[in-house]
mmCIF file of all heavy atoms in Angstrom:
data_model
loop_
_atom_site.group_PDB
_atom_site.id
_atom_site.type_symbol
_atom_site.label_atom_id
_atom_site.label_comp_id
_atom_site.label_asym_id
_atom_site.label_seq_id
_atom_site.Cartn_x
_atom_site.Cartn_y
_atom_site.Cartn_z
ATOM 1 N N GLY Q 211 18.407 40.524 -5.842
ATOM 2 C CA GLY Q 211 17.774 40.250 -7.131
ATOM 3 C C GLY Q 211 16.288 40.547 -7.097
ATOM 4 O O GLY Q 211 15.724 41.116 -8.043
ATOM 5 N N ALA Q 212 15.627 40.172 -6.001
ATOM 6 C CA ALA Q 212 14.197 40.460 -5.857
ATOM 7 C C ALA Q 212 13.951 41.958 -5.787
ATOM 8 O O ALA Q 212 12.969 42.467 -6.337
ATOM 9 C CB ALA Q 212 13.656 39.774 -4.607
ATOM 10 N N ALA Q 213 14.848 42.691 -5.135
ATOM 11 C CA ALA Q 213 14.714 44.144 -5.040
ATOM 12 C C ALA Q 213 14.876 44.802 -6.406
ATOM 13 O O ALA Q 213 14.188 45.783 -6.728
ATOM 14 C CB ALA Q 213 15.737 44.703 -4.052
ATOM 15 N N LEU Q 214 15.779 44.268 -7.217
ATOM 16 C CA LEU Q 214 15.922 44.763 -8.591
ATOM 17 C C LEU Q 214 14.611 44.595 -9.357
ATOM 18 O O LEU Q 214 14.166 45.507 -10.057
ATOM 19 C CB LEU Q 214 17.044 44.002 -9.309
ATOM 20 C CG LEU Q 214 18.487 44.356 -8.951
ATOM 21 C CD1 LEU Q 214 19.440 43.354 -9.573
ATOM 22 C CD2 LEU Q 214 18.819 45.765 -9.443
ATOM 23 N N LEU Q 215 14.013 43.439 -9.206
ATOM 24 C CA LEU Q 215 12.746 43.155 -9.882
ATOM 25 C C LEU Q 215 11.645 44.086 -9.389
ATOM 26 O O LEU Q 215 10.890 44.657 -10.189
ATOM 27 C CB LEU Q 215 12.363 41.695 -9.632
ATOM 28 C CG LEU Q 215 11.181 41.117 -10.419
ATOM 29 C CD1 LEU Q 215 11.507 41.065 -11.898
ATOM 30 C CD2 LEU Q 215 10.847 39.721 -9.903
ATOM 31 N N GLU Q 216 11.563 44.263 -8.070
ATOM 32 C CA GLU Q 216 10.511 45.098 -7.493
ATOM 33 C C GLU Q 216 10.691 46.564 -7.838
ATOM 34 O O GLU Q 216 9.714 47.309 -7.943
ATOM 35 C CB GLU Q 216 10.485 44.910 -5.966
ATOM 36 C CG GLU Q 216 9.325 45.600 -5.295
ATOM 37 C CD GLU Q 216 9.234 45.299 -3.809
ATOM 38 O OE1 GLU Q 216 10.058 44.499 -3.308
ATOM 39 O OE2 GLU Q 216 8.341 45.857 -3.149
ATOM 40 N N THR Q 217 11.935 47.002 -8.021
ATOM 41 C CA THR Q 217 12.196 48.421 -8.285
ATOM 42 C C THR Q 217 11.995 48.787 -9.744
ATOM 43 O O THR Q 217 11.413 49.845 -10.054
ATOM 44 C CB THR Q 217 13.638 48.779 -7.873
ATOM 45 O OG1 THR Q 217 13.844 48.442 -6.497
ATOM 46 C CG2 THR Q 217 13.896 50.278 -8.052
ATOM 47 N N TRP Q 218 12.442 47.931 -10.673
ATOM 48 C CA TRP Q 218 12.469 48.335 -12.072
ATOM 49 C C TRP Q 218 11.540 47.547 -13.000
ATOM 50 O O TRP Q 218 11.278 47.995 -14.107
ATOM 51 C CB TRP Q 218 13.903 48.267 -12.599
ATOM 52 C CG TRP Q 218 14.728 49.429 -12.119
ATOM 53 C CD1 TRP Q 218 14.579 50.736 -12.467
ATOM 54 C CD2 TRP Q 218 15.820 49.384 -11.194
ATOM 55 N NE1 TRP Q 218 15.502 51.511 -11.809
ATOM 56 C CE2 TRP Q 218 16.288 50.708 -11.025
ATOM 57 C CE3 TRP Q 218 16.444 48.352 -10.501
ATOM 58 C CZ2 TRP Q 218 17.350 51.030 -10.185
ATOM 59 C CZ3 TRP Q 218 17.499 48.674 -9.661
ATOM 60 C CH2 TRP Q 218 17.947 50.003 -9.515
ATOM 61 N N VAL Q 219 11.064 46.405 -12.578
ATOM 62 C CA VAL Q 219 10.173 45.605 -13.432
ATOM 63 C C VAL Q 219 8.725 45.704 -12.966
ATOM 64 O O VAL Q 219 7.825 45.991 -13.761
ATOM 65 C CB VAL Q 219 10.624 44.128 -13.471
ATOM 66 C CG1 VAL Q 219 9.656 43.302 -14.313
ATOM 67 C CG2 VAL Q 219 12.047 44.023 -14.026
ATOM 68 N N THR Q 220 8.493 45.477 -11.675
ATOM 69 C CA THR Q 220 7.134 45.507 -11.142
ATOM 70 C C THR Q 220 6.403 46.817 -11.422
ATOM 71 O O THR Q 220 5.233 46.802 -11.821
ATOM 72 C CB THR Q 220 7.151 45.206 -9.628
ATOM 73 O OG1 THR Q 220 7.700 43.893 -9.414
ATOM 74 C CG2 THR Q 220 5.749 45.271 -9.048
ATOM 75 N N PRO Q 221 7.041 47.993 -11.232
ATOM 76 C CA PRO Q 221 6.324 49.252 -11.513
ATOM 77 C C PRO Q 221 5.835 49.368 -12.950
ATOM 78 O O PRO Q 221 4.783 49.960 -13.202
ATOM 79 C CB PRO Q 221 7.375 50.328 -11.189
ATOM 80 C CG PRO Q 221 8.271 49.692 -10.193
ATOM 81 C CD PRO Q 221 8.364 48.260 -10.617
ATOM 82 N N VAL Q 222 6.601 48.833 -13.891
ATOM 83 C CA VAL Q 222 6.185 48.892 -15.293
ATOM 84 C C VAL Q 222 4.908 48.091 -15.501
ATOM 85 O O VAL Q 222 3.949 48.552 -16.134
ATOM 86 C CB VAL Q 222 7.308 48.356 -16.212
ATOM 87 C CG1 VAL Q 222 6.829 48.303 -17.660
ATOM 88 C CG2 VAL Q 222 8.542 49.243 -16.099
ATOM 89 N N MET Q 223 4.870 46.882 -14.943
ATOM 90 C CA MET Q 223 3.683 46.039 -15.079
ATOM 91 C C MET Q 223 2.489 46.626 -14.342
ATOM 92 O O MET Q 223 1.348 46.548 -14.806
ATOM 93 C CB MET Q 223 3.996 44.622 -14.580
ATOM 94 C CG MET Q 223 5.041 43.900 -15.422
ATOM 95 S SD MET Q 223 5.212 42.137 -15.007
ATOM 96 C CE MET Q 223 5.906 42.261 -13.357
ATOM 97 N N MET Q 224 2.749 47.253 -13.196
ATOM 98 C CA MET Q 224 1.673 47.908 -12.463
ATOM 99 C C MET Q 224 1.087 49.061 -13.277
ATOM 100 O O MET Q 224 -0.128 49.292 -13.264
ATOM 101 C CB MET Q 224 2.190 48.412 -11.115
ATOM 102 C CG MET Q 224 2.520 47.310 -10.137
ATOM 103 S SD MET Q 224 3.403 47.903 -8.656
ATOM 104 C CE MET Q 224 2.159 48.933 -7.890
ATOM 105 N N GLY Q 225 1.950 49.764 -13.992
ATOM 106 C CA GLY Q 225 1.480 50.861 -14.831
ATOM 107 C C GLY Q 225 0.596 50.388 -15.967
ATOM 108 O O GLY Q 225 -0.300 51.121 -16.418
ATOM 109 N N TRP Q 226 0.821 49.164 -16.430
ATOM 110 C CA TRP Q 226 -0.025 48.608 -17.499
ATOM 111 C C TRP Q 226 -1.440 48.311 -16.995
ATOM 112 O O TRP Q 226 -2.414 48.499 -17.717
ATOM 113 C CB TRP Q 226 0.586 47.317 -18.035
ATOM 114 C CG TRP Q 226 1.893 47.498 -18.748
ATOM 115 C CD1 TRP Q 226 2.396 48.660 -19.283
ATOM 116 C CD2 TRP Q 226 2.877 46.484 -19.008
ATOM 117 N NE1 TRP Q 226 3.627 48.441 -19.844
ATOM 118 C CE2 TRP Q 226 3.949 47.109 -19.697
ATOM 119 C CE3 TRP Q 226 2.964 45.127 -18.725
ATOM 120 C CZ2 TRP Q 226 5.077 46.414 -20.110
ATOM 121 C CZ3 TRP Q 226 4.090 44.434 -19.133
ATOM 122 C CH2 TRP Q 226 5.134 45.071 -19.816
ATOM 123 N N VAL Q 227 -1.531 47.834 -15.753
ATOM 124 C CA VAL Q 227 -2.807 47.348 -15.239
ATOM 125 C C VAL Q 227 -3.593 48.443 -14.498
ATOM 126 O O VAL Q 227 -4.824 48.429 -14.497
ATOM 127 C CB VAL Q 227 -2.575 46.142 -14.288
ATOM 128 C CG1 VAL Q 227 -3.894 45.607 -13.756
ATOM 129 C CG2 VAL Q 227 -1.815 45.039 -15.030
ATOM 130 N N ALA Q 228 -2.904 49.389 -13.892
ATOM 131 C CA ALA Q 228 -3.551 50.396 -13.048
ATOM 132 C C ALA Q 228 -4.714 51.125 -13.735
ATOM 133 O O ALA Q 228 -5.754 51.356 -13.111
ATOM 134 C CB ALA Q 228 -2.523 51.404 -12.547
ATOM 135 N N PRO Q 229 -4.607 51.519 -15.027
ATOM 136 C CA PRO Q 229 -5.730 52.238 -15.654
ATOM 137 C C PRO Q 229 -7.046 51.460 -15.634
ATOM 138 O O PRO Q 229 -8.124 52.066 -15.574
ATOM 139 C CB PRO Q 229 -5.239 52.456 -17.086
ATOM 140 C CG PRO Q 229 -3.752 52.481 -16.981
ATOM 141 C CD PRO Q 229 -3.441 51.470 -15.923
ATOM 142 N N SER Q 230 -6.987 50.139 -15.682
ATOM 143 C CA SER Q 230 -8.214 49.348 -15.682
ATOM 144 C C SER Q 230 -8.924 49.357 -14.340
ATOM 145 O O SER Q 230 -10.063 48.929 -14.217
ATOM 146 C CB SER Q 230 -7.904 47.902 -16.079
ATOM 147 O OG SER Q 230 -7.112 47.258 -15.087
ATOM 148 N N LEU Q 231 -8.223 49.849 -13.281
ATOM 149 C CA LEU Q 231 -8.807 49.869 -11.960
ATOM 150 C C LEU Q 231 -9.319 51.253 -11.560
ATOM 151 O O LEU Q 231 -9.815 51.440 -10.445
ATOM 152 C CB LEU Q 231 -7.761 49.404 -10.922
ATOM 153 C CG LEU Q 231 -7.238 47.977 -11.138
ATOM 154 C CD1 LEU Q 231 -6.044 47.705 -10.233
ATOM 155 C CD2 LEU Q 231 -8.318 46.961 -10.868
#
Side-chain angles (χ1 to χ4, degrees):
L214 285 170
L215 189 65
E216 187 175 357
T217 304
W218 284 292
V219 178
T220 299
V222 175
M223 295 190 293
M224 291 170 66
W226 294 341
V227 181
S230 67
L231 299 170

